[in-house]
Amino acid sequence: MSVSRNERRPRTELKRVLVVDDEADIRELIDLTLLRMGLTAVCAASVAEARAALEANDFQLCLTDMRLPDGDGLEIVRHIGEQHARLPVAVITAYGSAENAVAALKAGAFDYLAKPIGLEQLRNLVQAALRLPGAETESPSAAPGEPELLGDSPAMQQVRTMIDKLARSQAPVYISGASGSGKEVAARLIHAHSARSGGPFVPVNCGAIPENLMESEFFGYRKGAFTGADSDRDGFFQAAHGGTLFLDEVADLPLAMQVKLLRAIQEKKVRKVGQVSEESVDLRILCATHHNLRECVESGKFRQDLYYRLNVIELRMPPLRERSEDIVPLAQHILLRLSGPEHPVLSPEAQAALAAYTFPGNVRELENILERATALCADARITAQDLQLEAPVDMGHASAASPSLSERLHAVESAFLQKTLADTGDDLNQAANLLQISTQSLSARLARED
């Protein structure tokens, strides 16, 4: 194993970076760059040497080439993911090897560099990696004023775990989910918990930009580039430099703009309208849409090559109907936000009605329903009638045998009572307290079901 000159300094003086490449000149270039950044490099020329170095030292970052004499960089990425989960690893790929870069990111790589290595991009990558929490750091908690994803259902616990993992990567993320399911909140949390949290978060609604203005809005323009361009202006890419660019409703981009976006992502460079030269940009791209992006690819509305660059990792936001146990706690939190500590309370019937509703508009619809109910309710108590829920009816299957409204409400109430009893271990007193009714009233309601 070859060790850099600055490795002979005291072990606690500098942070370590493992550099794995079989080309001596590449190792030397990275070694000198890291030394100027106040870091020490431990260099390895093979997979075997890299494994030995990982066992013998603690590192803050690993940089590995994809092609090595005894294997490839993906082996090192997977080994680090299994044995050193909190250590960021970036891969070095040959020029134009987009497939290798995507494969590495999917395997868990933090980021990638393309040969010939640009020193500015190398420094940006290293600085971003060193800003990540170390192995001994717990998952970050929500900071004051930070958006929250509420709910303790298994689906939301899985989403939070995924967000924590995604925050430690630079890989592009595609956030899928229905409208109102919290896609932008998830994007903001990924940014807030990432090494880019000190940089800007720039959200862009791709469907709200006129097609003839897209290029100048995304990449900026030079003075005189077109009529009305009376000064130089940066675009969304420049505004997000050092941070995160969130492309919402990315499926609405026209095909011509998709080509330009693909090049900007691959080259990490953009050209302003009216400018000959390109400029480097350092940002991470997150995207979302309520459309099925794969179906858009199959129908020819979205480029397949761009789809694979954006959808390196997918984060699916579950609709509210798939986490019904979160609905009532989420409703109570929204009421607290809308009206403060003296907010109206939800009656048991209102809670049961919310728990049974399908929420086609998800959390956004829940907020709208509660805001309206707050204005309509009397005595600071929201009833089922105050919610004004519109239950969907399949007219093709409606008949005289269909259950009446009272029968439907009774069924909803019965299911809610049984669930509350089950949650309290059939403790009648505790269930009555949770439902905010007397034990006698609860007993009477249960007796009606026998």
Side-chain angles (χ1 to χ4, degrees), residues 273-428:
V273 176
Q275 182 170 293
V276 176
S277 60
E278 293 183 320
E279 54 185 284
S280 297
V281 286
D282 171 35
L283 52 81
R284 183 184 190 181
I285 290 185
L286 309 177
C287 72
T289 179
H290 71 280
H291 296 288
N292 186 314
L293 208 52
R294 183 177 292 277
E295 291 181 358
C296 292
V297 172
E298 293 172 353
S299 65
K301 296 178 181 178
F302 201 83
R303 291 180 61 95
Q304 186 178 56
D305 46 8
L306 179 58
Y307 170 75
Y308 286 119
R309 292 314 301 265
L310 292 175
N311 188 24
V312 173
I313 304 174
E314 181 175 352
L315 172 64
R316 179 180 178 272
M317 298 302 295
L320 204 49
R321 65 178 179 273
E322 291 183 9
R323 50 188 188 103
S324 57
E325 59 265 58
D326 290 336
I327 291 174
V328 172
L330 184 56
Q332 292 168 339
H333 176 85
I334 292 171
L335 287 171
L336 178 63
R337 176 166 55 80
L338 289 173
S339 304
E342 303 300 321
H343 64 81
V345 298
L346 291 164
S347 70
E349 293 81 5
Q351 294 184 35
L354 287 174
Y357 187 58
T358 57
F359 288 99
N362 293 292
V363 178
R364 192 176 295 129
E365 182 180 8
L366 175 60
E367 291 176 341
N368 180 269
I369 288 169
L370 293 174
E371 190 168 4
R372 180 178 63 230
T374 300
L376 294 175
C377 72
D379 301 324
R381 183 178 175 85
I382 296 175
T383 66
Q385 289 74 23
D386 295 328
L387 297 173
Q388 297 186 352
L389 299 181
E390 296 181 5
V393 177
D394 186 352
M395 297 305 294
H397 293 83
S399 69
S402 299
S404 66
L405 177 59
S406 62
E407 289 172 328
R408 289 176 181 270
L409 289 175
H410 178 72
V412 169
E413 178 183 311
S414 176
F416 187 68
L417 294 177
Q418 293 297 337
K419 181 180 184 302
T420 305
L421 272 176
D423 291 344
T424 58
D426 290 330
D427 185 321
L428 208 62

Side-chain angles (χ1 to χ4, degrees), residues 72 88 108 132 188 374 389 391 418 430 439:
D72 60 40
L132 287 170
R188 288 182 180 276
T374 300
L389 299 181
Q418 293 297 337
Q430 186 179 353
T439 306

